[in-house]
Amino acid sequence: MVKMLMPVDGSESAVSAVAHMINKLEWFKDGVEIHLLNVQNPMPYGNRVSSVLGHDKVKQYHHEEGLAALQPARAKLDAAGIKYVFHIGVGPAAETIVQYAREKGCDQIVMGTRGMGSTANLLLGSVATKVIHLADVPVLLLK
Amino acid sequence: MDFADAAFWVALMQIIGVNIVLSGDNAVVIALAARSLPPQQQKAAVMWGSGAAVIMRIVLTIIAVEMLKWPYLKLIGAVLLLWIAVKLLIPEDENEDGITASGSMAAAIKTILIADLVMSLDNVIAVAAAAKGSLTLLILGLAISIPLVIFGSTLLLKLMDRYPIIITVGAALLGWVAGEMAITDPLVKDWVNANAAWLHYAAPAAGALFVVLLGRTLAARASQEHKAVVDLASGDRQP
């Protein structure tokens, strides 16, 4: 069974990557265990917001925003009747994706090339570029 | 300083930058505190919260203008600004507990008012520092911060999600204006102008550098302590 990490951010690119992967699941003979991951950027302003509101409020915010970002990808998988688990992390996007893959022993990272982040160059988004650099498992990028 | 003066526009840019950073957090606190309320109360909480922030800003600005004429106070203000700037760069500490607001309207308003007071004070010190005694700039600074507080939370969060460098630039800017303010304190102004005019560039640069270097160092130390990725969805029912 291939343990596949699919980072998504709610962008069109991420959703179409998930949709594409759904069609290609027969590539993997022993089946696939899909882990959707949304990474939320840490709250800016240092701890100025959390020191007033408390960490729970900030966490709750990240949780709500994370669920919203996961929703389009989840809808695709639900519609196709494919089982998956979903996760929400907080941190710098690429670093957190790679770290999560390492911690959970994922065999492969599959993601779209252009998310919501700022653009590193014409062809690849900055997160995808960074994930390729940092990852120690194969990375499949879908255009 | 007037509209034809390059220094005026530089100072105005500084004020806008300072406002983006130090009004943004206020806006975000108001928005997040209001989120836990029932929808029909959210609007009222945001309105009261923003209104209070605006009034506090106006009152504090008037006080700040008067007080900054006294000796020592610009020096103290400069140190405060450096401290505020460095703290902007240190990521939030998971172990530290803030005030936990319950879901009631009164609790939300209380949280918002505390945040308004602290954050308006920081903002006013920074804007007063950047305005360098110009009343026009002070009023402009105030005027710019008000819509940011009222309408800015979503916009500013999106902006900083996309370009996190804004916070670093904003913190460096605070360090810069802190340096500028320190050397114009009545206590040292005459001496600096007579003996060390080069400090007009060196002190702001040193302030900016100090903030970024110290902030980065402390942030790096904090991120080393942070280990595993915390899964916020671990408590959710999985499909």
Side-chain angles (χ1 to χ4, degrees), chain A residues 41 43-48 50-55 57-59 61-65 84-88 90 99-100 103 116-118, chain B residues 21-22 24-25 32 35-36 84 88 90 92-93 96 98-99 101 115 119 122 157 160-162 167 227-232 236 238-239:
Chain A
N41 280 320
M43 182 64 73
Y45 315 111
N47 65 1
R48 283 170 67 85
S50 62
S51 67
V52 180
L53 286 177
H55 288 288
K57 266 276 160 32
V58 175
K59 265 190 198 148
Y61 167 75
H62 285 314
H63 183 235
E64 283 168 18
E65 294 290 309
Y84 62 93
V85 246
F86 62 89
H87 314 277
I88 300 165
V90 179
Q99 196 192 339
Y100 196 82
E103 279 170 18
M116 304 279 221
S118 52
Chain B
V21 180
L22 291 182
D25 53 1
L32 291 198
R35 258 168 99 122
S36 56
I84 294 165
L88 271 174
I90 307 172
E92 55 168 327
D93 174 11
E96 199 180 301
I99 310 150
M119 290 169 171
D122 292 354
L157 275 179
M160 282 179 210
D161 262 7
R162 233 184 141 128
I167 287 285
K227 283 184 187 75
V229 178
V230 179
D231 184 1
L232 293 183
D236 290 326
Q238 298 285 349

Short mmCIF file of all heavy atoms in Angstrom, two decimals, chain A residues 41 43-48 50-55 57-59 61-65 84-88 90 99-100 103 116-118, chain B residues 21-22 24-25 32 35-36 84 88 90 92-93 96 98-99 101 115 119 122 157 160-162 167 227-232 236 238-239:
data_model
loop_
_atom_site.label_atom_id
_atom_site.label_comp_id
_atom_site.label_asym_id
_atom_site.label_seq_id
_atom_site.Cartn_x
_atom_site.Cartn_y
_atom_site.Cartn_z
N ASN A 41 -0.61 29.03 7.22
CA ASN A 41 0.50 29.90 7.61
C ASN A 41 0.32 30.31 9.06
O ASN A 41 -0.79 30.56 9.49
CB ASN A 41 0.52 31.16 6.74
CG ASN A 41 1.15 30.91 5.41
OD1 ASN A 41 2.13 30.19 5.31
ND2 ASN A 41 0.57 31.46 4.35
N MET A 43 0.03 32.56 12.31
CA MET A 43 -0.52 33.90 12.48
C MET A 43 0.62 34.92 12.44
O MET A 43 1.60 34.77 13.14
CB MET A 43 -1.22 33.96 13.84
CG MET A 43 -1.89 35.26 14.15
SD MET A 43 -3.23 35.67 13.05
CE MET A 43 -4.52 34.55 13.56
N PRO A 44 0.49 35.92 11.55
CA PRO A 44 1.56 36.93 11.55
C PRO A 44 1.51 37.76 12.83
O PRO A 44 0.68 37.48 13.69
CB PRO A 44 1.24 37.78 10.33
CG PRO A 44 -0.18 37.53 10.01
CD PRO A 44 -0.54 36.19 10.56
N TYR A 45 2.32 38.74 12.95
CA TYR A 45 2.38 39.63 14.12
C TYR A 45 2.93 38.95 15.36
O TYR A 45 2.59 39.32 16.48
CB TYR A 45 1.00 40.22 14.47
CG TYR A 45 0.20 40.72 13.32
CD1 TYR A 45 -0.95 40.06 12.91
CD2 TYR A 45 0.60 41.85 12.63
CE1 TYR A 45 -1.69 40.52 11.83
CE2 TYR A 45 -0.14 42.33 11.57
CZ TYR A 45 -1.28 41.66 11.17
OH TYR A 45 -2.01 42.12 10.11
N GLY A 46 3.77 37.92 15.20
CA GLY A 46 4.34 37.27 16.38
C GLY A 46 3.25 36.75 17.28
O GLY A 46 2.29 36.15 16.81
N ASN A 47 3.39 36.99 18.59
CA ASN A 47 2.33 36.50 19.47
C ASN A 47 1.39 37.61 19.89
O ASN A 47 0.70 37.50 20.89
CB ASN A 47 2.92 35.78 20.68
CG ASN A 47 3.71 36.72 21.55
OD1 ASN A 47 3.81 37.92 21.26
ND2 ASN A 47 4.27 36.23 22.63
N ARG A 48 1.41 38.71 19.14
CA ARG A 48 0.57 39.84 19.55
C ARG A 48 -0.92 39.48 19.52
O ARG A 48 -1.68 39.94 20.36
CB ARG A 48 0.83 41.06 18.65
CG ARG A 48 2.12 41.77 18.99
CD ARG A 48 2.47 42.80 17.95
NE ARG A 48 1.57 43.91 17.91
CZ ARG A 48 1.65 44.98 18.69
NH1 ARG A 48 2.59 45.06 19.57
NH2 ARG A 48 0.79 45.96 18.57
N SER A 50 -2.18 36.19 19.62
CA SER A 50 -2.51 35.09 20.54
C SER A 50 -2.38 35.50 22.00
O SER A 50 -3.04 34.95 22.87
CB SER A 50 -1.64 33.88 20.24
OG SER A 50 -0.29 34.19 20.44
N SER A 51 -1.54 36.49 22.31
CA SER A 51 -1.40 36.88 23.70
C SER A 51 -2.66 37.57 24.20
O SER A 51 -2.92 37.60 25.39
CB SER A 51 -0.18 37.78 23.89
OG SER A 51 -0.38 39.00 23.24
N VAL A 52 -3.43 38.11 23.29
CA VAL A 52 -4.70 38.73 23.70
C VAL A 52 -5.85 37.73 23.60
O VAL A 52 -6.68 37.62 24.49
CB VAL A 52 -5.03 39.95 22.81
CG1 VAL A 52 -6.33 40.57 23.26
CG2 VAL A 52 -3.91 40.97 22.88
N LEU A 53 -5.87 36.97 22.52
CA LEU A 53 -7.01 36.08 22.27
C LEU A 53 -6.85 34.70 22.89
O LEU A 53 -7.83 34.00 23.08
CB LEU A 53 -7.21 35.90 20.76
CG LEU A 53 -7.80 37.07 20.00
CD1 LEU A 53 -7.85 36.73 18.53
CD2 LEU A 53 -9.20 37.37 20.50
N GLY A 54 -5.61 34.30 23.16
CA GLY A 54 -5.37 32.94 23.61
C GLY A 54 -5.09 32.04 22.42
O GLY A 54 -5.54 32.30 21.31
N HIS A 55 -4.32 30.98 22.68
CA HIS A 55 -3.93 30.10 21.57
C HIS A 55 -5.11 29.32 21.02
O HIS A 55 -5.14 28.98 19.85
CB HIS A 55 -2.86 29.13 22.04
CG HIS A 55 -1.55 29.81 22.26
ND1 HIS A 55 -0.77 30.24 21.22
CD2 HIS A 55 -0.92 30.17 23.38
CE1 HIS A 55 0.31 30.84 21.71
NE2 HIS A 55 0.24 30.81 23.01
N LYS A 57 -8.13 30.24 20.45
CA LYS A 57 -8.84 31.02 19.43
C LYS A 57 -8.06 30.99 18.11
O LYS A 57 -8.64 30.85 17.04
CB LYS A 57 -8.97 32.47 19.88
CG LYS A 57 -10.26 32.78 20.57
CD LYS A 57 -11.34 33.09 19.55
CE LYS A 57 -12.73 32.91 20.13
NZ LYS A 57 -12.86 33.21 21.53
N VAL A 58 -6.74 31.14 18.22
CA VAL A 58 -5.93 31.14 17.01
C VAL A 58 -5.97 29.77 16.36
O VAL A 58 -6.11 29.64 15.14
CB VAL A 58 -4.48 31.57 17.34
CG1 VAL A 58 -3.60 31.47 16.12
CG2 VAL A 58 -4.47 32.99 17.88
N LYS A 59 -5.90 28.72 17.20
CA LYS A 59 -5.98 27.35 16.68
C LYS A 59 -7.31 27.12 15.99
O LYS A 59 -7.38 26.51 14.92
CB LYS A 59 -5.81 26.35 17.83
CG LYS A 59 -4.40 25.88 17.99
CD LYS A 59 -4.35 24.72 18.97
CE LYS A 59 -2.93 24.55 19.46
NZ LYS A 59 -2.87 24.05 20.82
N TYR A 61 -9.19 29.26 14.63
CA TYR A 61 -9.18 29.99 13.36
C TYR A 61 -8.46 29.16 12.29
O TYR A 61 -8.98 28.97 11.19
CB TYR A 61 -8.50 31.34 13.55
CG TYR A 61 -8.15 32.04 12.26
CD1 TYR A 61 -9.14 32.65 11.50
CD2 TYR A 61 -6.84 32.08 11.80
CE1 TYR A 61 -8.82 33.29 10.32
CE2 TYR A 61 -6.51 32.71 10.63
CZ TYR A 61 -7.50 33.31 9.88
OH TYR A 61 -7.18 33.93 8.72
N HIS A 62 -7.28 28.67 12.63
CA HIS A 62 -6.53 27.85 11.66
C HIS A 62 -7.33 26.61 11.28
O HIS A 62 -7.33 26.18 10.12
CB HIS A 62 -5.19 27.40 12.28
CG HIS A 62 -4.18 28.49 12.35
ND1 HIS A 62 -3.92 29.33 11.30
CD2 HIS A 62 -3.34 28.87 13.34
CE1 HIS A 62 -2.98 30.18 11.64
NE2 HIS A 62 -2.62 29.93 12.88
N HIS A 63 -8.02 26.03 12.26
CA HIS A 63 -8.80 24.83 12.02
C HIS A 63 -9.93 25.11 11.03
O HIS A 63 -10.10 24.39 10.04
CB HIS A 63 -9.36 24.32 13.36
CG HIS A 63 -10.13 23.05 13.25
ND1 HIS A 63 -11.41 22.92 13.70
CD2 HIS A 63 -9.81 21.85 12.71
CE1 HIS A 63 -11.84 21.70 13.45
NE2 HIS A 63 -10.89 21.03 12.85
N GLU A 64 -10.65 26.21 11.27
CA GLU A 64 -11.76 26.56 10.38
C GLU A 64 -11.26 26.86 8.97
O GLU A 64 -11.83 26.39 7.98
CB GLU A 64 -12.51 27.79 10.92
CG GLU A 64 -13.42 27.46 12.09
CD GLU A 64 -13.92 28.71 12.80
OE1 GLU A 64 -13.83 29.81 12.20
OE2 GLU A 64 -14.38 28.58 13.95
N GLU A 65 -10.19 27.65 8.90
CA GLU A 65 -9.64 28.00 7.58
C GLU A 65 -9.11 26.75 6.89
O GLU A 65 -9.22 26.61 5.67
CB GLU A 65 -8.51 29.02 7.74
CG GLU A 65 -8.97 30.36 8.27
CD GLU A 65 -9.80 31.14 7.24
OE1 GLU A 65 -9.33 31.28 6.11
OE2 GLU A 65 -10.91 31.57 7.59
N TYR A 84 -10.00 8.40 2.41
CA TYR A 84 -8.83 9.25 2.67
C TYR A 84 -8.89 9.72 4.11
O TYR A 84 -9.91 9.57 4.78
CB TYR A 84 -8.84 10.47 1.73
CG TYR A 84 -10.05 11.36 1.93
CD1 TYR A 84 -9.99 12.46 2.79
CD2 TYR A 84 -11.25 11.09 1.28
CE1 TYR A 84 -11.09 13.27 2.98
CE2 TYR A 84 -12.36 11.89 1.48
CZ TYR A 84 -12.29 12.98 2.32
OH TYR A 84 -13.39 13.76 2.53
N VAL A 85 -7.79 10.28 4.58
CA VAL A 85 -7.80 10.98 5.87
C VAL A 85 -7.32 12.40 5.61
O VAL A 85 -6.61 12.63 4.64
CB VAL A 85 -6.85 10.33 6.91
CG1 VAL A 85 -7.62 9.75 8.07
CG2 VAL A 85 -5.94 9.32 6.29
N PHE A 86 -7.74 13.31 6.47
CA PHE A 86 -7.28 14.69 6.24
C PHE A 86 -6.61 15.25 7.48
O PHE A 86 -6.90 14.86 8.61
CB PHE A 86 -8.45 15.58 5.79
CG PHE A 86 -9.56 15.73 6.78
CD1 PHE A 86 -9.51 16.74 7.74
CD2 PHE A 86 -10.65 14.87 6.77
CE1 PHE A 86 -10.55 16.88 8.65
CE2 PHE A 86 -11.69 15.01 7.68
CZ PHE A 86 -11.64 16.02 8.63
N HIS A 87 -5.70 16.16 7.25
CA HIS A 87 -4.91 16.75 8.34
C HIS A 87 -4.76 18.24 8.12
O HIS A 87 -4.79 18.71 6.99
CB HIS A 87 -3.51 16.12 8.39
CG HIS A 87 -3.50 14.64 8.28
ND1 HIS A 87 -3.71 13.81 9.34
CD2 HIS A 87 -3.32 13.83 7.21
CE1 HIS A 87 -3.67 12.56 8.95
NE2 HIS A 87 -3.43 12.53 7.65
N ILE A 88 -4.58 18.96 9.21
CA ILE A 88 -4.30 20.40 9.13
C ILE A 88 -3.07 20.69 9.97
O ILE A 88 -3.03 20.33 11.15
CB ILE A 88 -5.50 21.24 9.65
CG1 ILE A 88 -6.76 20.96 8.82
CG2 ILE A 88 -5.15 22.73 9.61
CD1 ILE A 88 -8.03 21.46 9.48
N VAL A 90 0.13 23.69 10.94
CA VAL A 90 0.42 25.12 10.95
C VAL A 90 1.93 25.30 10.87
O VAL A 90 2.66 24.68 11.61
CB VAL A 90 -0.11 25.82 12.23
CG1 VAL A 90 0.23 27.30 12.20
CG2 VAL A 90 -1.60 25.61 12.37
N GLN A 99 8.17 17.87 6.44
CA GLN A 99 8.33 17.34 7.79
C GLN A 99 7.22 16.35 8.12
O GLN A 99 7.45 15.30 8.73
CB GLN A 99 8.33 18.49 8.79
CG GLN A 99 8.88 18.10 10.16
CD GLN A 99 8.59 19.18 11.20
OE1 GLN A 99 8.34 20.33 10.85
NE2 GLN A 99 8.63 18.81 12.46
N TYR A 100 6.01 16.69 7.69
CA TYR A 100 4.87 15.81 7.97
C TYR A 100 5.05 14.49 7.24
O TYR A 100 4.81 13.42 7.80
CB TYR A 100 3.57 16.49 7.53
CG TYR A 100 2.35 15.82 8.11
CD1 TYR A 100 1.95 16.11 9.40
CD2 TYR A 100 1.64 14.87 7.38
CE1 TYR A 100 0.84 15.48 9.96
CE2 TYR A 100 0.54 14.23 7.93
CZ TYR A 100 0.14 14.55 9.21
OH TYR A 100 -0.94 13.91 9.76
N GLU A 103 7.60 12.53 9.19
CA GLU A 103 7.11 12.05 10.49
C GLU A 103 6.14 10.90 10.33
O GLU A 103 6.13 9.96 11.12
CB GLU A 103 6.41 13.19 11.25
CG GLU A 103 7.37 14.11 11.97
CD GLU A 103 6.65 15.34 12.50
OE1 GLU A 103 5.41 15.32 12.62
OE2 GLU A 103 7.34 16.33 12.80
N MET A 116 -1.73 28.87 -3.83
CA MET A 116 -2.10 30.24 -3.52
C MET A 116 -0.89 31.13 -3.23
O MET A 116 -1.02 32.34 -3.13
CB MET A 116 -2.99 30.25 -2.27
CG MET A 116 -4.20 29.39 -2.40
SD MET A 116 -5.46 30.24 -3.31
CE MET A 116 -6.89 29.79 -2.36
N GLY A 117 0.25 30.52 -3.03
CA GLY A 117 1.42 31.27 -2.58
C GLY A 117 1.99 32.18 -3.65
O GLY A 117 1.50 32.22 -4.79
N SER A 118 3.01 32.94 -3.31
CA SER A 118 3.64 33.80 -4.31
C SER A 118 4.45 32.93 -5.27
O SER A 118 4.82 31.81 -4.98
CB SER A 118 4.54 34.81 -3.62
OG SER A 118 5.42 34.16 -2.74
N VAL B 21 1.40 47.04 9.73
CA VAL B 21 1.82 46.04 10.70
C VAL B 21 1.06 46.21 12.02
O VAL B 21 0.50 45.26 12.56
CB VAL B 21 3.34 46.12 10.94
CG1 VAL B 21 3.75 45.08 11.96
CG2 VAL B 21 4.07 45.89 9.64
N LEU B 22 1.03 47.42 12.54
CA LEU B 22 0.51 47.61 13.90
C LEU B 22 -0.98 47.93 13.96
O LEU B 22 -1.54 48.02 15.04
CB LEU B 22 1.31 48.70 14.63
CG LEU B 22 2.75 48.32 14.97
CD1 LEU B 22 3.44 49.43 15.73
CD2 LEU B 22 2.83 47.03 15.75
N GLY B 24 -2.92 46.08 11.69
CA GLY B 24 -3.37 44.77 11.22
C GLY B 24 -3.67 43.84 12.37
O GLY B 24 -4.72 43.19 12.39
N ASP B 25 -2.79 43.81 13.36
CA ASP B 25 -3.02 42.88 14.46
C ASP B 25 -4.28 43.25 15.23
O ASP B 25 -5.05 42.40 15.64
CB ASP B 25 -1.80 42.80 15.38
CG ASP B 25 -1.35 44.17 15.86
OD1 ASP B 25 -1.98 45.17 15.50
OD2 ASP B 25 -0.35 44.22 16.60
N LEU B 32 -11.34 38.07 15.04
CA LEU B 32 -11.34 36.73 15.62
C LEU B 32 -12.17 36.67 16.90
O LEU B 32 -12.84 35.68 17.17
CB LEU B 32 -9.92 36.24 15.90
CG LEU B 32 -9.04 35.93 14.68
CD1 LEU B 32 -7.85 35.07 15.08
CD2 LEU B 32 -9.83 35.23 13.61
N ARG B 35 -15.76 36.42 15.94
CA ARG B 35 -16.16 35.19 15.26
C ARG B 35 -16.88 34.20 16.15
O ARG B 35 -17.69 33.41 15.69
CB ARG B 35 -14.91 34.49 14.71
CG ARG B 35 -14.68 34.68 13.24
CD ARG B 35 -13.31 34.20 12.88
NE ARG B 35 -13.35 32.85 12.33
CZ ARG B 35 -12.88 32.55 11.13
NH1 ARG B 35 -12.34 33.48 10.38
NH2 ARG B 35 -12.91 31.32 10.68
N SER B 36 -16.54 34.22 17.46
CA SER B 36 -17.13 33.23 18.35
C SER B 36 -18.55 33.61 18.77
O SER B 36 -19.22 32.84 19.43
CB SER B 36 -16.24 33.06 19.59
OG SER B 36 -16.08 34.31 20.21
N ILE B 84 8.83 46.26 20.69
CA ILE B 84 7.64 45.88 19.92
C ILE B 84 8.06 45.22 18.61
O ILE B 84 7.53 44.19 18.20
CB ILE B 84 6.76 47.12 19.62
CG1 ILE B 84 6.18 47.70 20.91
CG2 ILE B 84 5.65 46.79 18.63
CD1 ILE B 84 5.61 49.11 20.75
N LEU B 88 7.53 41.25 17.16
CA LEU B 88 6.77 40.93 15.94
C LEU B 88 7.38 39.74 15.20
O LEU B 88 6.69 39.01 14.49
CB LEU B 88 6.78 42.13 15.00
CG LEU B 88 5.69 43.17 15.14
CD1 LEU B 88 5.98 44.32 14.21
CD2 LEU B 88 4.33 42.58 14.83
N ILE B 90 9.13 37.19 16.56
CA ILE B 90 9.19 35.93 17.29
C ILE B 90 7.85 35.21 17.15
O ILE B 90 6.82 35.76 17.51
CB ILE B 90 9.50 36.17 18.78
CG1 ILE B 90 10.75 37.03 18.90
CG2 ILE B 90 9.68 34.84 19.50
CD1 ILE B 90 11.03 37.48 20.31
N GLU B 92 4.60 32.80 17.68
CA GLU B 92 3.87 32.65 18.94
C GLU B 92 4.34 31.42 19.69
O GLU B 92 4.68 30.40 19.13
CB GLU B 92 2.37 32.62 18.69
CG GLU B 92 1.92 31.57 17.72
CD GLU B 92 0.40 31.42 17.76
OE1 GLU B 92 -0.18 31.60 18.82
OE2 GLU B 92 -0.17 31.11 16.72
N ASP B 93 4.36 31.57 21.00
CA ASP B 93 4.84 30.52 21.87
C ASP B 93 3.65 29.67 22.31
O ASP B 93 2.72 30.17 22.94
CB ASP B 93 5.52 31.18 23.08
CG ASP B 93 5.92 30.16 24.12
OD1 ASP B 93 5.86 28.95 23.81
OD2 ASP B 93 6.27 30.56 25.24
N GLU B 96 2.46 29.63 26.08
CA GLU B 96 2.00 30.83 26.74
C GLU B 96 0.47 30.93 26.60
O GLU B 96 -0.07 30.72 25.54
CB GLU B 96 2.65 32.03 26.06
CG GLU B 96 2.64 33.30 26.87
CD GLU B 96 3.32 34.40 26.09
OE1 GLU B 96 4.51 34.22 25.74
OE2 GLU B 96 2.67 35.39 25.80
N GLY B 98 -3.04 33.08 26.77
CA GLY B 98 -3.61 34.42 26.74
C GLY B 98 -4.91 34.43 27.53
O GLY B 98 -5.25 33.48 28.22
N ILE B 99 -5.63 35.52 27.41
CA ILE B 99 -6.93 35.58 28.04
C ILE B 99 -7.87 34.76 27.17
O ILE B 99 -7.94 34.97 25.96
CB ILE B 99 -7.43 37.04 28.06
CG1 ILE B 99 -6.36 37.93 28.62
CG2 ILE B 99 -8.74 37.16 28.80
CD1 ILE B 99 -6.41 39.34 28.07
N ALA B 101 -11.32 34.13 25.91
CA ALA B 101 -12.63 34.76 25.88
C ALA B 101 -13.69 33.69 25.73
O ALA B 101 -13.54 32.78 24.94
CB ALA B 101 -12.72 35.73 24.72
N ALA B 115 -7.26 44.62 23.82
CA ALA B 115 -6.41 44.62 22.63
C ALA B 115 -6.31 46.02 22.04
O ALA B 115 -5.23 46.48 21.66
CB ALA B 115 -6.96 43.65 21.60
N MET B 119 -2.76 47.76 21.62
CA MET B 119 -2.32 47.87 20.23
C MET B 119 -2.40 49.31 19.72
O MET B 119 -1.58 49.71 18.89
CB MET B 119 -3.13 46.92 19.36
CG MET B 119 -2.75 45.48 19.67
SD MET B 119 -3.84 44.29 18.94
CE MET B 119 -2.94 42.78 19.29
N ASP B 122 0.77 51.10 21.02
CA ASP B 122 1.94 50.77 20.19
C ASP B 122 1.89 51.52 18.87
O ASP B 122 2.87 52.08 18.40
CB ASP B 122 1.98 49.27 19.90
CG ASP B 122 2.26 48.46 21.15
OD1 ASP B 122 2.53 49.10 22.19
OD2 ASP B 122 2.20 47.23 21.09
N LEU B 157 -4.55 39.76 6.51
CA LEU B 157 -4.15 38.36 6.72
C LEU B 157 -3.79 37.70 5.40
O LEU B 157 -2.81 36.96 5.30
CB LEU B 157 -5.28 37.59 7.39
CG LEU B 157 -5.32 37.66 8.92
CD1 LEU B 157 -6.50 36.86 9.44
CD2 LEU B 157 -4.03 37.15 9.53
N MET B 160 -0.41 38.99 4.17
CA MET B 160 0.74 38.46 4.89
C MET B 160 0.92 36.97 4.71
O MET B 160 2.01 36.45 4.83
CB MET B 160 0.64 38.82 6.35
CG MET B 160 1.04 40.26 6.49
SD MET B 160 0.94 40.84 8.11
CE MET B 160 0.56 42.53 7.78
N ASP B 161 -0.19 36.26 4.42
CA ASP B 161 -0.07 34.86 4.05
C ASP B 161 0.76 34.74 2.80
O ASP B 161 1.60 33.86 2.65
CB ASP B 161 -1.47 34.28 3.77
CG ASP B 161 -2.00 33.53 4.97
OD1 ASP B 161 -1.34 33.58 6.02
OD2 ASP B 161 -3.06 32.90 4.86
N ARG B 162 0.50 35.66 1.89
CA ARG B 162 1.16 35.61 0.59
C ARG B 162 2.56 36.16 0.64
O ARG B 162 3.48 35.64 0.01
CB ARG B 162 0.32 36.41 -0.41
CG ARG B 162 0.02 35.58 -1.62
CD ARG B 162 -0.71 36.33 -2.67
NE ARG B 162 -0.14 35.89 -3.93
CZ ARG B 162 -0.87 35.45 -4.94
NH1 ARG B 162 -2.16 35.41 -4.84
NH2 ARG B 162 -0.28 35.06 -6.05
N ILE B 167 6.13 41.41 7.34
CA ILE B 167 6.33 41.57 8.79
C ILE B 167 7.79 41.93 9.08
O ILE B 167 8.07 42.82 9.89
CB ILE B 167 5.92 40.28 9.53
CG1 ILE B 167 4.40 40.14 9.54
CG2 ILE B 167 6.44 40.28 10.95
CD1 ILE B 167 3.69 41.07 10.50
N LYS B 227 9.00 20.93 17.58
CA LYS B 227 9.38 19.71 16.88
C LYS B 227 8.32 19.16 15.95
O LYS B 227 8.29 19.50 14.78
CB LYS B 227 9.84 18.65 17.89
CG LYS B 227 11.24 18.96 18.39
CD LYS B 227 11.76 17.89 19.32
CE LYS B 227 13.08 18.31 19.93
NZ LYS B 227 12.93 19.35 20.97
N ALA B 228 7.43 18.33 16.47
CA ALA B 228 6.50 17.64 15.58
C ALA B 228 5.43 18.59 15.03
O ALA B 228 5.13 19.60 15.64
CB ALA B 228 5.84 16.50 16.33
N VAL B 229 4.92 18.22 13.87
CA VAL B 229 3.79 18.97 13.30
C VAL B 229 2.54 18.59 14.09
O VAL B 229 2.23 17.42 14.26
CB VAL B 229 3.59 18.63 11.81
CG1 VAL B 229 2.39 19.38 11.26
CG2 VAL B 229 4.84 18.93 11.02
N VAL B 230 1.82 19.58 14.60
CA VAL B 230 0.59 19.31 15.34
C VAL B 230 -0.57 19.24 14.35
O VAL B 230 -0.76 20.16 13.56
CB VAL B 230 0.33 20.42 16.38
CG1 VAL B 230 -0.97 20.14 17.13
CG2 VAL B 230 1.50 20.53 17.33
N ASP B 231 -1.29 18.13 14.38
CA ASP B 231 -2.41 17.98 13.45
C ASP B 231 -3.69 18.52 14.08
O ASP B 231 -4.25 17.93 14.99
CB ASP B 231 -2.58 16.50 13.09
CG ASP B 231 -3.67 16.30 12.05
OD1 ASP B 231 -4.25 17.30 11.60
OD2 ASP B 231 -3.90 15.14 11.68
N LEU B 232 -4.14 19.66 13.57
CA LEU B 232 -5.33 20.30 14.14
C LEU B 232 -6.60 19.54 13.79
O LEU B 232 -7.64 19.74 14.40
CB LEU B 232 -5.45 21.74 13.65
CG LEU B 232 -4.38 22.72 14.13
CD1 LEU B 232 -4.70 24.12 13.63
CD2 LEU B 232 -4.28 22.73 15.64
N ASP B 236 -11.08 15.67 14.47
CA ASP B 236 -12.24 15.66 13.58
C ASP B 236 -12.63 14.23 13.21
O ASP B 236 -11.79 13.35 13.18
CB ASP B 236 -11.93 16.44 12.29
CG ASP B 236 -11.82 17.92 12.57
OD1 ASP B 236 -12.54 18.40 13.45
OD2 ASP B 236 -10.99 18.59 11.91
N GLN B 238 -13.09 11.54 10.79
CA GLN B 238 -12.54 11.31 9.46
C GLN B 238 -13.56 10.56 8.61
O GLN B 238 -14.34 9.78 9.14
CB GLN B 238 -11.25 10.50 9.56
CG GLN B 238 -10.13 11.20 10.33
CD GLN B 238 -9.46 12.32 9.53
OE1 GLN B 238 -9.69 12.46 8.34
NE2 GLN B 238 -8.67 13.13 10.20
N PRO B 239 -13.57 10.79 7.30
CA PRO B 239 -14.55 10.12 6.44
C PRO B 239 -14.27 8.61 6.33
O PRO B 239 -13.14 8.21 6.48
CB PRO B 239 -14.37 10.81 5.09
CG PRO B 239 -13.01 11.37 5.11
CD PRO B 239 -12.73 11.72 6.54
#
